[in-house]
Amino acid sequence: MSAPARVLVVDDSPTMRGLITAVLSSDPEVNVIGQAGDALEAREAIKRLNPDVVTLDIEMPNMNGLDFLEKIMTLRPMPVIMVSTMTHRGAEATLAALEIGAFDCVGKPGPGDLRPFGDLAEKVKAAARTQRPFSQPVTAAAAPPPSVADFRVGRKIVAIGSSTGGVEALIAVLQKFPANCPPTVITQHMPPTFTKSFAERLNRLCAPVVQEATDGARLEIGKIYLAPGGERHLQVSGASAPCCRLVDRAPVNGHRPSVDVLFDSVAELAGRNAVGVILTGMGRDGAAGLLKMRHAGARTLGQNEKTCVVYGMPRVAHELGAVEQQLPLSAIGEEILKMTAARKEGTE
């Protein structure tokens, strides 16, 4: 058995520090070695204790979590998990933190939450194990996407699944897409209320239109649909006029929305007229669904281990035989375009 992950908990609220510590201490593979109430205390604790992982509150006095995270990534790069309020402002700050290089995020519990910080211990352990060089966060290539005139879209649907590390990964992939990209549906594991802010952020950064998926939204060329977090799964349906469907079902693989649910529906609807992509993330969600897509004739891609923040979901998919090609993150966007471009003699 490997040594427990050593964690420093940083939050200005003593109550929240106590709750996070209690949740983490219930896992024998996690050891909370210290607490800090602000950035100054945290800086001294990091020097003194040398933790494997830091949990960091977004909103703190004296120096907010975002500014402190930038200093950590510059002066002493290490895995940091952001703890945020479940508000629009909290979501915006957390997304910025993930782009700076934070490992992952969790939302602060609300009234009546039966499992506060439910998967925080798993995220801490994954963060402690990661081999990612945090001083060099993965970023999108600066090259512009193809122009509309240079890309002739075919008839394929693209489905993408991601989790931990997915914010940076999706930006890197989608910034390669032209404005007339193939219809694209995405499930990214993310707290409720965060997905709307993430869709808005992607829409600002990318050439196509990116929006949070709504029930009944038609799949159209030049549009990307992100599954809303929390209550329902995203599926696609409608052979003659494909559209998004938000369905009430229990969590699958511990997630709602689930990548497997999305991939299963794409396999059934589109078969060989689809491309499935599985990106960085903990666990195995999406692996079985990607295999179903491949068996249905779809093209399938997986992010390689070297460029993953967590090589979990892509690893399981690869081991199952669901992945046709494993590629570095920088190559995935271009490969999707090759697989979905119209043939010269006509559309696919």
Side-chain angles (χ1 to χ4, degrees), residues 6-46:
R6 303 169 67 254
V7 188
L8 173 67
V9 175
V10 183
D11 197 295
D12 66 312
S13 164
T15 300
M16 196 59 63
R17 291 198 302 271
L19 178 57
I20 294 171
T21 298
V23 168
L24 292 178
S25 298
S26 66
D27 190 314
E29 297 179 23
V30 178
N31 179 19
V32 177
I33 58 172
Q35 299 182 11
D38 59 25
L40 182 60
E41 290 182 11
R43 184 180 65 183
E44 296 304 316
I46 289 172

Side-chain angles (χ1 to χ4, degrees), residues 192-277:
T193 73
F194 282 32
T195 44
K196 186 176 189 300
S197 293
F198 186 37
E200 292 170 353
R201 198 172 191 88
L202 288 172
N203 192 52
R204 292 193 297 268
L205 295 171
C206 304
V209 173
V210 185
Q211 61 193 49
E212 197 175 40
T214 56
D215 191 56
R218 290 276 297 270
L219 298 190
E220 299 176 2
I221 290 170
K223 290 190 176 181
I224 298 170
Y225 308 84
L226 180 68
E231 299 301 322
R232 293 183 287 179
H233 296 283
L234 174 62
Q235 295 181 327
V236 295
S237 66
S240 59
C243 65
C244 297
R245 290 296 178 198
L246 300 179
V247 297
D248 293 312
R249 279 179 55 187
V252 175
N253 301 317
H255 297 285
R256 186 170 55 200
S258 161
V259 181
D260 268 332
V261 172
L262 176 62
F263 284 176
D264 285 353
S265 70
V266 174
E268 293 171 7
L269 175 70
R272 60 186 290 272
N273 289 319
V275 174
V277 183

Side-chain angles (χ1 to χ4, degrees), residues 248-316:
D248 293 312
R249 279 179 55 187
V252 175
N253 301 317
H255 297 285
R256 186 170 55 200
S258 161
V259 181
D260 268 332
V261 172
L262 176 62
F263 284 176
D264 285 353
S265 70
V266 174
E268 293 171 7
L269 175 70
R272 60 186 290 272
N273 289 319
V275 174
V277 183
I278 194 158
L279 301 176
T280 175
M282 288 172 25
R284 60 183 304 119
D285 189 32
L290 194 69
L291 181 62
K292 186 173 181 178
M293 286 186 68
R294 190 172 188 188
H295 285 164
R299 308 293 300 275
T300 60
L301 300 172
Q303 187 176 346
N304 70 0
E305 182 174 7
K306 185 176 180 180
T307 61
C308 280
V309 172
V310 179
Y311 187 56
M313 290 158 51
R315 180 198 296 275
V316 178

Side-chain angles (χ1 to χ4, degrees), residues 6-286:
R6 303 169 67 254
V7 188
L8 173 67
V9 175
V10 183
D11 197 295
D12 66 312
S13 164
T15 300
M16 196 59 63
R17 291 198 302 271
L19 178 57
I20 294 171
T21 298
V23 168
L24 292 178
S25 298
S26 66
D27 190 314
E29 297 179 23
V30 178
N31 179 19
V32 177
I33 58 172
Q35 299 182 11
D38 59 25
L40 182 60
E41 290 182 11
R43 184 180 65 183
E44 296 304 316
I46 289 172
K47 291 179 182 178
R48 185 176 74 256
L49 300 172
N50 191 29
D52 299 319
V53 182
V54 170
T55 71
L56 180 59
D57 185 18
I58 284 281
E59 297 181 0
M60 296 188 300
N62 302 323
M63 180 185 294
N64 66 46
L66 204 57
D67 290 339
F68 186 52
L69 175 68
E70 288 190 290
K71 291 187 178 297
I72 291 175
M73 291 304 163
T74 301
L75 301 174
R76 201 224 183 267
M78 62 187 304
V80 176
I81 297 175
M82 306 306 294
V83 180
S84 172
T85 57
M86 305 293 277
T87 63
H88 181 78
R89 179 181 172 185
E92 286 288 325
T94 302
L95 292 170
L98 292 170
E99 290 180 44
I100 291 170
F103 179 83
D104 208 337
C105 65
V106 294
K108 289 188 176 181
D113 194 330
L114 298 178
R115 290 187 70 241
F117 302 113
D119 60 351
L120 178 57
E122 292 302 318
K123 290 184 177 184
V124 163
K125 291 185 287 186
R129 292 192 299 265
T130 187
Q131 300 299 307
R132 171 185 170 180
F134 280 87
S135 57
Q136 299 173 355
V138 178
T139 55
S147 68
V148 171
D150 292 335
F151 179 71
R152 297 176 64 243
V153 65
R155 295 177 180 171
K156 284 187 163 72
I157 294 171
V158 177
I160 303 175
S162 52
S163 186
T164 303
V167 167
E168 294 170 275
L170 286 168
I171 291 171
V173 170
L174 299 179
Q175 283 192 325
K176 299 289 183 70
F177 281 22
N180 60 335
C181 73
T184 301
V185 285
I186 300 171
T187 289
Q188 155 73 31
H189 298 156
M190 189 171 276
T193 73
F194 282 32
T195 44
K196 186 176 189 300
S197 293
F198 186 37
E200 292 170 353
R201 198 172 191 88
L202 288 172
N203 192 52
R204 292 193 297 268
L205 295 171
C206 304
V209 173
V210 185
Q211 61 193 49
E212 197 175 40
T214 56
D215 191 56
R218 290 276 297 270
L219 298 190
E220 299 176 2
I221 290 170
K223 290 190 176 181
I224 298 170
Y225 308 84
L226 180 68
E231 299 301 322
R232 293 183 287 179
H233 296 283
L234 174 62
Q235 295 181 327
V236 295
S237 66
S240 59
C243 65
C244 297
R245 290 296 178 198
L246 300 179
V247 297
D248 293 312
R249 279 179 55 187
V252 175
N253 301 317
H255 297 285
R256 186 170 55 200
S258 161
V259 181
D260 268 332
V261 172
L262 176 62
F263 284 176
D264 285 353
S265 70
V266 174
E268 293 171 7
L269 175 70
R272 60 186 290 272
N273 289 319
V275 174
V277 183
I278 194 158
L279 301 176
T280 175
M282 288 172 25
R284 60 183 304 119
D285 189 32

